């Protein structure tokens, strides 16, 4: 009861823009939905199509069956590869089982895979800046497992030892924090003067835009709430970006996860959402906050995102 009364009060909400779904997530969800419509349920999906519990639950209700590995799918069934990409070995296993595969890998992730193949094909060792336990990184490493070294932080960049220091390149996980990734790349460039890299860093436009947006509002806020699931890399990075601006920031899957104790004394709340979090979750969060007192909503100004990716031919 005390937590409820302490959370009451008039507030201003600052909405970061852009927020929520990006083009790659929209495409991946659409792929599963169209596959169910075209081929009928069940449609199998390897791993979470995107890292958001609400999206997964909604697709399950429509007839999607999420599996961990290909061998859980009955022969001859339809299988969708998630947005984070897979290794060539996974593709080969699906083919061997006679599965009808639909690839929902984000085109920006596919671009990183292509870079790794190009670099390793000419004999380079690739430093992959990213988190080794993330599905996207697992898929990228699988393109050339003997020639890709995952570099997770500045300390790792300072000690990494390639086979030939004169033949090295780097690539990046697409959902990293921009500033941290650049620090790591900077250490690698200092250590390896011949280091090759992509013409543009691999961090995707949506990750970049959402980090810039939350940074723009963070210093004006007493608290930042990031809507997203705990296994969403880009959502976790948004929390970290806000915290580096000196404000308390919390990750919440939805309005029901907001701890009322965190709202005590808070009069200006920033809200954003990871690229895999449905927009309606932000609307619901604002609505719930309005139940604690009058809320004024202000949205930050930003250029609209007009990027769209074509669908795979199997569902287009």
């Amino acid at each position: 009861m005390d937590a409820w009364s302490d959370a009451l009060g008039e507030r201003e909400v600052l909405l970061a823009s852009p927020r929520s779904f990006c083009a790659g997530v929209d495409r991946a969800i659409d792929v599963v939905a169209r596959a169910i419509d075209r081929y009928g349920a069940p449609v199998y999906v390897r791993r979470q199509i995107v890292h958001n519990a609400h999206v997964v639950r909604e697709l399950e209700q429509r007839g999607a069956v999420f599996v961990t590995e290909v061998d859980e799918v009955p022969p001859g069934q339809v299988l969708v590869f998630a947005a984070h990409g897979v290794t060539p070995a996974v593709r080969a296993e699906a083919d061997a089982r006679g599965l009808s595969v639909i690839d929902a890998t984000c085109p920006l992730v596919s671009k990183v895979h292509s870079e790794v193949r190009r670099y390793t094909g000419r004999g380079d060792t690739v430093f992959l800046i990213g988190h080794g336990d993330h599905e996207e990184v697992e898929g990228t490493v699988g393109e050339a497992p003997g020639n890709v070294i995952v570099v997770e932080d500045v300390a790792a960049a300072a000690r990494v030892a390639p086979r030939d220091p004169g033949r090295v390149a780097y690539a990046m996980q697409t959902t990293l924090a921009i500033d941290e990734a650049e620090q790591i790349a900077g250490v690698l460039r200092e250590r390896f003067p011949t280091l090759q890299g992509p013409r543009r860093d691999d961090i995707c436009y949506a990750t970049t835009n959402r980090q810039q947006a939350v940074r723009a509002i963070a210093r004006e806020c007493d608290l930042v709430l990031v809507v997203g699931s705990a296994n969403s890399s880009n959502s976790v990075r948004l929390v970290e970006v806000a915290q580096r601006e000196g404000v308390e920031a919390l990750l919440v899957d939805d309005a029901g996860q907001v701890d009322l104790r965190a709202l005590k004394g808070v009069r200006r709340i920033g809200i954003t959402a990871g690229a895999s979090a449905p927009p309606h979750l932000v609307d619901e969060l604002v609505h719930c906050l309005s139940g604690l007192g009058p809320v004024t909503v202000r949205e930050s100004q930003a250029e609209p995102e007009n990027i769209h990716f074509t669908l795979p031919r199997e569902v287009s």
Side-chain angles (χ1 to χ4, degrees):
M1 191 66 179
D2 287 342
W4 178 265
S5 59
D6 288 343
L8 297 175
E10 184 175 351
R11 291 188 173 87
E12 182 179 18
V13 169
L14 276 60
L15 295 178
S17 181
R19 61 184 178 274
S20 294
F21 284 170
C22 64
V25 166
D26 261 332
R27 175 181 183 269
I29 295 170
D30 199 17
V31 166
V32 177
R34 284 172 175 249
I36 294 169
D37 290 342
R38 178 166 297 186
Y39 302 104
V43 164
Y44 292 85
V45 185
R46 183 183 180 273
R47 311 285 175 90
Q48 291 189 352
I49 185 66
V50 298
H51 285 158
N52 185 269
H54 291 269
V55 170
V56 169
R57 189 157 52 245
E58 289 170 11
L59 289 173
E60 283 178 332
Q61 291 169 355
R62 296 185 62 171
V65 177
F66 292 87
V67 299
T68 302
E69 296 300 346
V70 173
D71 62 9
E72 299 171 51
V73 183
Q77 295 296 305
V78 176
L79 173 65
V80 177
F81 289 147
H84 311 101
V86 300
T87 67
V90 169
R91 295 181 186 277
E93 184 180 2
D95 185 60
R97 291 184 65 80
L99 303 180
S100 299
V101 170
I102 307 173
D103 191 357
T105 301
C106 174
L108 299 180
V109 174
S110 297
K111 166 183 170 289
V112 179
H113 283 222
S114 178
E115 290 168 358
V116 168
R117 291 194 299 270
R118 178 165 60 89
Y119 293 138
T120 58
R122 68 188 188 192
D124 291 355
T125 296
V126 174
F127 302 128
L128 179 58
I129 300 172
H131 304 288
D133 60 351
H134 193 275
E135 287 169 33
E136 179 187 328
V137 170
E138 292 174 5
T140 305
V141 170
E143 292 290 348
N147 297 296
V148 179
I149 301 174
V150 178
V151 180
E152 296 203 353
D153 51 33
V154 167
R159 64 174 182 267
V160 66
R163 179 178 58 251
D164 182 351
R167 304 203 62 161
V168 289
Y170 77 91
M172 291 180 178
Q173 179 182 336
T174 63
T175 54
L176 297 178
I178 306 160
D179 48 359
E180 287 190 329
E182 183 51 40
Q183 286 179 349
I184 296 168
V187 171
L188 293 173
R189 292 189 197 104
E190 284 186 15
R191 291 192 59 208
F192 306 102
T194 62
L195 183 72
Q196 299 293 304
R199 285 187 294 272
R200 293 181 59 190
D201 281 346
D202 297 319
I203 297 175
C204 88
Y205 77 94
T207 298
T208 299
N209 291 349
R210 281 151 188 72
Q211 289 177 17
Q212 291 174 342
V214 76
R215 188 177 291 113
I217 67 169
R219 291 183 181 178
E220 297 184 57
C221 299
D222 305 313
L223 172 69
V224 171
L225 297 176
V226 178
V227 179
S229 292
N231 63 336
S232 165
S233 176
N234 75 85
S235 299
V236 173
R237 302 290 85 75
L238 289 173
V239 173
E240 295 170 351
V241 167
Q243 289 172 338
R244 284 197 288 275
E245 295 299 316
V247 64
E248 183 180 3
L250 301 173
L251 181 67
V252 295
D253 226 333
D254 50 43
Q257 279 199 344
V258 177
D259 187 341
L260 290 177
R261 293 171 295 183
L263 302 180
K264 183 179 180 179
V266 171
R267 290 295 170 258
R268 184 175 286 167
I269 299 176
I271 297 178
T272 188
S276 50
H280 71 82
L281 297 178
V282 172
D283 298 335
E284 292 169 7
L285 177 55
V286 173
H287 176 73
C288 288
L289 289 173
S290 69
L292 299 171
V295 169
T296 303
V297 179
R298 175 159 57 95
E299 182 151 2
S300 63
Q301 299 300 309
E303 291 294 320
E305 292 178 343
N306 295 314
I307 294 177
H308 300 280
F309 296 131
T310 58
L311 292 165
R313 58 179 175 77
E314 295 87 352
V315 293
S316 61

